[in-house]
Amino acid sequence: MFTWLLRERTAEERELDRDAVLFAAGVWFAEFVQWFLRSWSNGSLETPLQVVEKVSYNAVTFLLTCGIWLVLRNRGPYSAWGFIRASAPLVVLASGLNTVFGWLLFYQFFATPADLQDPSTFDWIALAPQPLSYLWVFFCWACFVATVVGAAEARARERALAESHRELQDARLRALRYQIHPHLMFNCLNSIQALLDARKTGQAQRTLDLLSRFLRNTLTASTEGLAPLSRELETQLVYLDLEKVRFADRLSVRVEADPETTGALVPTLILQPLVENAIKHGLARAIDGAEIRIGARREGADLHLWVEENALTEGGGLRPAGFGIGLENTRARLHTLYGDDGRLIAGSTDRGWRSEVILPFEVEVGAETSDGARVAA
């Protein structure tokens, strides 16, 4: 029945418990100090018994305030206004119980025989604490706690949103990997079969080794969000070596990556759709082969990555405007990870196609760029 009271609290929930209790202690201690200074200044503090009565009174109000939190703490999550609405009935109830306790204290410590001779006159109520007289203190506590609870709920929503974005990126990366593997496996196995039929066992073994390396790299990438650019370039070069088995001398590759960029962190397999696009829409339709260039450079706080091919196709080298599925997914992925700081620019050149990714330049914490700057990931 009371498992909701006994369940183990998370670290954030324990922090909320601490804040709620500290706020309760703070508001009632402040109220006691205010009462003491007012009574002392106007000369109404005549006996230590008054202090004992007030301390007892505020101790009970503190416990009532903690009781409100105990009832509400597992009924959330709350927004700030949601907590105030939920606590309002309990605040009124606690204030009422506090009034009854105040009357009992008055009966015990301050009521005179004349006050008690005729209770039906209710004259003693005028001398005792007034009904709901400290409602405002309970309400102040509720407002303080509401701000903390509301902020915690906002942080929880932000974490949930970030987690959903991460899961979306993982799903997109898995989809990309599944998109790569089937046709790549089919092409490679056909190539290996052809090499074995031609008794070129050495080339067949090398192709199989390349395929194994590529699959291992992409499977590793699927468990990581970011990776050094050097590893991303290695994966793409292995992929292009596999494509060379199919296209032979029709494919040439050139990498133009500035040395300071190789340690930069980039989203895993971010170049894969760009390279695949160059193969599928450029080299595969080229009249006399093509060169694929992969480049990287740093411009201030930005990292520029590009894939460019110079395939001359029957259409004169120009392609229709617009993004395919792979490029559109890449653009959406960059926007999710970096907002307006992540962009994809793609379009036809005089001969071929160029796709360029722009994202913030980041390195692992503790790593140094060539100019000595440290950039946290």
Side-chain angles (χ1 to χ4, degrees):
M1 179 179 178
F2 296 103
T3 54
W4 61 277
L5 287 174
L6 302 177
R7 74 171 178 85
E8 186 176 354
R9 306 281 286 171
T10 65
E12 186 169 13
E13 288 174 334
R14 289 195 298 271
E15 185 177 353
L16 285 176
D17 291 340
R18 182 200 65 192
D19 290 342
V21 171
L22 288 177
F23 277 138
V27 295
W28 288 111
F29 179 75
E31 193 281 328
F32 171 80
V33 171
Q34 178 264 344
W35 168 87
F36 180 84
L37 293 176
R38 185 184 68 245
S39 300
W40 178 69
S41 63
N42 61 23
S44 60
L45 190 61
E46 299 174 352
T47 170
L49 193 59
Q50 291 175 274
V51 176
V52 173
E53 182 266 344
K54 184 60 177 175
V55 169
S56 301
Y57 181 83
N58 280 34
V60 170
T61 55
F62 168 74
L63 294 177
L64 287 172
T65 308
C66 293
I68 296 174
W69 174 248
L70 189 64
V71 171
L72 293 178
R73 66 177 188 172
N74 289 328
R75 304 281 178 95
Y78 300 102
S79 64
W81 282 111
F83 183 83
I84 291 176
R85 288 194 298 268
S87 64
L90 294 175
V91 163
V92 174
L93 176 61
S95 184
L97 293 174
N98 173 53
T99 298
V100 172
F101 180 73
W103 287 340
L104 292 176
L105 285 178
F106 174 78
Y107 255 132
Q108 183 67 33
F109 292 106
F110 298 105
T112 63
D115 295 325
L116 304 178
Q117 285 179 0
D118 187 7
S120 62
T121 63
F122 294 100
D123 291 339
W124 55 277
I125 294 181
L127 302 176
Q130 298 302 302
L132 306 183
S133 57
Y134 288 98
L135 178 63
W136 68 274
V137 184
F138 284 102
F139 184 71
C140 285
W141 169 84
C143 290
F144 286 145
V145 175
T147 59
V148 176
V149 170
E153 172 60 13
R155 289 194 300 271
R157 287 197 301 270
E158 290 174 358
R159 285 195 300 270
L161 182 60
E163 180 66 17
S164 67
H165 282 171
R166 187 188 67 79
E167 292 176 355
L168 176 62
Q169 290 306 313
D170 289 344
R172 283 178 174 165
L173 187 58
R174 287 193 297 271
L176 174 61
R177 193 175 74 251
Y178 297 147
Q179 176 187 342
I180 295 167
H181 290 175
H183 82 266
L184 180 66
M185 290 288 291
F186 179 79
N187 291 335
C188 287
L189 291 176
N190 278 346
S191 298
I192 292 171
Q193 181 64 51
L195 291 170
L196 291 175
D197 290 343
R199 299 186 182 279
K200 298 180 180 179
T201 55
Q203 294 183 37
Q205 180 62 50
R206 179 176 179 274
T207 303
L208 189 59
D209 289 342
L210 287 172
L211 179 60
S212 175
R213 284 178 57 192
F214 180 76
L215 293 177
R216 182 170 60 250
N217 288 348
T218 55
L219 288 172
T220 300
S222 68
T223 63
E224 300 175 341
L226 299 173
L229 177 60
S230 57
R231 190 190 307 172
E232 175 70 9
L233 291 174
E234 177 189 356
T235 299
Q236 300 313 312
L237 289 177
V238 173
Y239 173 77
L240 288 169
D241 282 342
L242 283 169
E243 293 291 5
K244 281 183 180 180
V245 176
R246 182 159 61 110
F247 291 101
D249 294 337
R250 298 183 65 226
L251 170 62
S252 62
V253 178
R254 184 151 52 114
V255 177
E256 303 171 345
D258 292 344
E260 70 170 328
T261 65
T262 57
L265 293 176
V266 299
T268 52
L269 296 180
I270 193 65
L271 293 176
Q272 186 68 42
L274 280 59
V275 174
E276 274 204 319
N277 195 61
I279 295 289
K280 181 178 179 181
H281 299 289
L283 177 63
R285 300 189 304 147
I287 297 173
D288 55 358
E291 179 184 64
I292 294 180
R293 295 170 51 234
I294 302 177
R297 70 178 183 276
R298 179 183 178 184
E299 291 188 4
D302 292 333
L303 175 66
H304 291 246
L305 309 173
W306 69 87
V307 175
E308 186 174 8
E309 46 85 359
N310 61 356
L312 180 61
T313 64
E314 293 181 357
L318 298 179
R319 299 186 200 168
F323 285 3
I325 294 176
L327 296 184
E328 190 62 46
N329 286 343
T330 300
R331 184 172 65 175
R333 187 179 176 199
L334 288 168
H335 182 73
T336 301
L337 288 172
Y338 303 108
D340 294 337
D341 293 331
R343 306 186 300 281
L344 171 62
I345 303 171
S348 297
T349 61
D350 293 339
R351 176 176 173 174
W353 184 271
R354 178 184 174 97
S355 301
E356 183 168 353
V357 167
I358 304 172
L359 66 159
F361 184 90
E362 298 178 340
V363 296
E364 292 186 57
V365 175
E368 290 197 9
T369 61
S370 60
D371 59 3
R374 292 181 178 270
V375 185

